[in-house]
Amino acid sequence: MKYEAVIGLEVHAQLSTKSKIFCSCSTAFGAEANSQVCPICLGMPGTLPVLNKKVVEYTVKTGLSVGCRIAEKSIFARKNYFYPDLPKNYQISQYELPTCIGGEIHIELEDGSKKVIGLTRIHIEEDAGKSIHGENLGSAGNSFIDLNRTGTPLMEIVSEPDMRTGEEARAYLTKLKSILKYLDIADCNMEEGSLRCDANVSIRPIGQEKLGTKAEIKNMNSFRNVQKAIEYEIRRQEKVLNEGGRIVQETRLWDAAKGITVSMRSKEEANDYRYFPDPDLVPIILSDEYVEAVRATLPELPDAKMARFMSEYALPEHDAIALTAEKAYADYFEEALKGFNNPKMIANWILSEVLSTLNEKQCGISDAGISPSQLAELVSLIDSGKISGKIAKDVYKAVIDTGKNPANIVERQGLVQNSDSGELEAIVKQVIDSSPAEAERYKNGEKRLQGFFVGQVMKLSKGKANPQMVNDIIAKLLG
């Protein structure tokens, strides 16, 4: 039997507020354990939470950016459960009346196809603390609790079960992260736990409307692992059903080392949490004027910027998508255009050499080692014919290594392109004379040998020969 997967994602994004959601404790990452706590975030008796207004503003901002309806009234509820790192024994969250309802995210897949993923809701909640097990601290058999994270503000972004493959889930997360980064409300650092994802995966026979039993997968620390975990889970469920078994509703963990999901516990239902409205927090009431004031602060978002790059700079869609995937890339591109207005050449260099450098150095574009103005200068040197494309790559590396400007490197190292027709013709004749067999084959129709002659000329000229002129001279001399 053939099955299709049904996938929904729950994403927890930590908001970049300086203080926690219900108290003034710092949210800075990496502080000494239990140094950023107070009676409120510890849930001591007699304390009262006070809502951080920035949390509401950031959540509304996110909701507006993805087309949510902003609720006029939303309330906080207590989600009751016991974990050692949850001192109150309940988590303050939103349940029946979240702040943002509906919405959608547009994704692009590797084959160029597009899809719209619906959102169910975006709600506000506080984070719990962190359990640290002893084997990580040289004290096997013991566990420790760090409550610094308790009370840090989270948005939970819940998708509709609209995804069918691991690739779609990865594309959804990539676009969501891009939007949050454009809004500048979350750093989305998965290694520090600022962005966490749970995936609900079920399968059903193709053509069946009724949903299958789902498994929730936790403990994924990269988008790549989310995709791999989902793909594994789909195969696992298909195997169980094909062998006559049944899927159990449960929470599973992703073991990245083994590439498998493993059972963690049975899945809780909403009833298990005994939600009830938090009596210590008043409802959030948002006026139309407030919502419109927040809407006025929205920046140009990825989809709009991509469309503008295509229309304003005549970039192909692939380039526009890649350049707008991260706000920093888009800003770098437009800053470079101020130095040399050739969008396609600038885009080509960013999407090839600069991104390659980022991958090698594992850094952001601001730390690539070449500024937008330096890249613009380099590209203008190529466009003006002063240096060849081959020499340009050497100059690019020299800029990365030394920090000096391209024109300065070209001048100091004598790298100006040779466009003297007489000198070039002499070099081409020398190459032809030293390769009579290849010259004869070229004359007999093996035009692919053009590359061989160009390469030899470049070798003799130490990469300085004007390639277009060399091609023309070879064609003229060999007919």
Side-chain angles (χ1 to χ4, degrees):
M1 182 177 292
K2 291 191 174 181
Y3 298 94
E4 72 169 355
V6 178
I7 303 159
L9 298 182
E10 298 172 2
V11 175
H12 287 91
Q14 180 178 325
L15 296 170
S16 299
T17 56
K18 292 182 179 176
S19 58
K20 294 183 179 179
I21 185 170
F22 298 122
C23 66
S24 59
C25 288
S26 171
T27 57
F29 179 81
E32 182 182 355
N34 297 307
S35 64
Q36 295 176 169
V37 294
C38 73
I40 292 177
C41 56
L42 292 177
M44 295 290 187
T47 60
L48 288 173
V50 178
L51 178 60
N52 184 334
K53 289 182 178 179
K54 273 289 178 190
V55 173
V56 178
E57 178 191 329
Y58 286 177
T59 304
V60 171
K61 211 168 181 176
T62 304
L64 291 172
S65 70
V66 292
C68 292
R69 177 172 69 80
I70 307 302
E72 180 182 355
K73 176 183 178 181
S74 55
I75 63 172
F76 285 105
R78 291 186 178 182
K79 181 180 180 180
N80 296 275
Y81 61 98
F82 172 76
Y83 273 174
D85 55 16
L86 187 67
K88 295 196 293 275
N89 284 347
Y90 65 83
Q91 177 187 24
I92 300 177
S93 181
Q94 292 183 320
Y95 179 51
E96 291 180 313
L97 297 176
T99 298
C100 305
I101 303 157
E104 59 188 28
I105 289 181
H106 296 243
I107 62 171
E108 298 85 27
L109 302 174
E110 289 182 2
D111 64 0
S113 61
K114 297 175 182 176
K115 188 170 181 178
V116 179
I117 308 298
L119 297 179
T120 309
R121 57 191 278 156
I122 302 175
H123 66 254
I124 304 168
E125 62 184 30
E126 63 176 345
D127 205 350
K130 182 179 180 182
S131 297
I132 305 168
H133 301 296
E135 55 267 27
N136 298 322
L137 298 174
S139 181
N142 294 306
S143 290
F144 303 86
I145 304 295
D146 180 1
L147 295 174
N148 279 353
R149 205 169 69 186
T150 302
T152 53
L154 302 176
M155 282 188 308
E156 181 168 339
I157 303 153
V158 182
S159 83
E160 291 287 293
D162 288 345
M163 288 161 269
R164 297 289 175 267
T165 67
E167 185 198 352
E168 290 181 9
R170 184 174 181 173
Y172 168 87
L173 290 170
T174 302
K175 177 58 76 68
L176 177 59
K177 178 182 176 181
S178 175
I179 292 170
L180 297 178
K181 297 279 283 184
Y182 268 73
L183 293 173
D184 197 22
I185 61 167
D187 65 24
C188 300
N189 187 327
M190 293 190 82
E191 291 181 352
E192 296 179 1
S194 302
L195 192 72
R196 309 195 291 271
C197 172
D198 302 334
N200 290 299
V201 182
S202 65
I203 62 171
R204 62 185 176 190
I206 291 178
Q208 176 179 299
E209 288 293 321
K210 184 182 176 185
L211 296 175
T213 303
K214 67 183 178 183
E216 182 185 46
I217 313 172
K218 289 180 175 290
N219 197 29
M220 296 175 284
N221 59 5
S222 74
F223 293 172
R224 179 177 173 79
N225 274 330
V226 171
Q227 180 174 352
K228 291 169 71 174
I230 289 172
E231 290 169 349
Y232 172 84
E233 183 60 20
I234 293 170
R235 293 195 301 274
R236 184 191 73 83
Q237 293 188 17
E238 287 176 344
K239 185 172 186 292
V240 170
L241 294 183
N242 286 334
E243 292 176 350
R246 67 181 185 87
I247 306 300
V248 178
Q249 182 163 324
E250 61 182 343
T251 299
R252 299 180 68 85
L253 290 176
W254 169 241
D255 186 330
K258 296 180 179 176
I260 61 173
T261 63
V262 293
S263 182
M264 177 184 177
R265 62 173 184 263
S266 62
K267 173 66 179 168
E268 299 90 344
E269 298 288 352
N271 287 339
D272 297 333
Y273 292 119
R274 295 171 289 114
Y275 283 98
F276 65 85
D278 191 304
D280 291 338
L281 287 159
V282 298
I284 300 172
I285 306 296
L286 302 177
S287 66
D288 291 344
E289 291 75 16
Y290 173 84
V291 173
E292 292 310 309
V294 174
R295 191 192 304 277
T297 67
L298 291 179
E300 184 182 39
L301 292 166
D303 288 347
K305 195 180 284 287
M306 179 195 72
R308 180 170 66 80
F309 276 20
M310 291 173 65
S311 62
E312 186 174 337
Y313 302 126
L315 291 179
E317 185 178 40
H318 175 271
D319 289 7
I321 289 174
L323 284 173
T324 56
E326 290 204 21
K327 183 174 182 294
Y329 296 175
D331 291 345
Y332 186 100
F333 169 73
E334 295 206 285
E335 189 63 29
L337 287 183
K338 293 177 183 175
F340 181 62
N341 189 23
N342 187 324
K344 184 54 182 163
M345 284 187 72
I346 294 286
N348 287 346
W349 272 81
I350 293 175
L351 297 178
S352 56
E353 300 303 320
V354 178
L355 290 191
S356 177
T357 299
L358 302 190
N359 191 42
E360 287 173 12
K361 298 173 74 171
Q362 289 293 297
C363 66
I365 200 164
S366 60
D367 297 319
I370 182 166
S371 67
S373 62
Q374 287 175 319
L375 183 71
E377 186 177 298
L378 177 65
V379 175
S380 72
L381 289 171
I382 306 168
D383 187 67
S384 65
K386 289 186 178 176
I387 59 173
S388 66
K390 184 178 184 305
I391 290 292
K393 292 188 178 181
D394 295 335
V395 176
Y396 172 84
K397 289 178 182 174
V399 174
I400 299 286
D401 291 341
T402 67
K404 292 180 178 175
N405 290 335
N408 179 267
I409 292 169
V410 169
E411 183 180 346
R412 290 173 68 90
Q413 297 187 15
L415 299 174
V416 174
Q417 183 167 256
N418 185 349
S419 298
D420 185 304
S421 58
E423 290 184 18
L424 292 179
E425 188 163 325
I427 297 174
V428 172
K429 284 179 178 174
Q430 183 181 347
V431 168
I432 292 173
D433 291 344
S434 63
S435 308
E438 286 80 4
E440 191 61 29
R441 286 163 55 198
Y442 182 97
K443 289 177 182 176
N444 290 331
E446 285 192 53
K447 301 302 182 189
R448 61 184 176 81
L449 288 170
Q450 180 94 7
F452 164 77
F453 290 110
V454 172
Q456 293 300 308
V457 172
M458 286 299 177
K459 190 175 178 181
L460 278 177
S461 67
K462 297 182 178 176
K464 296 179 187 177
N466 183 318
Q468 184 56 52
M469 293 180 69
V470 170
N471 274 294
D472 292 343
I473 294 169
I474 292 170
K476 183 184 77 173
L477 296 181
L478 291 177

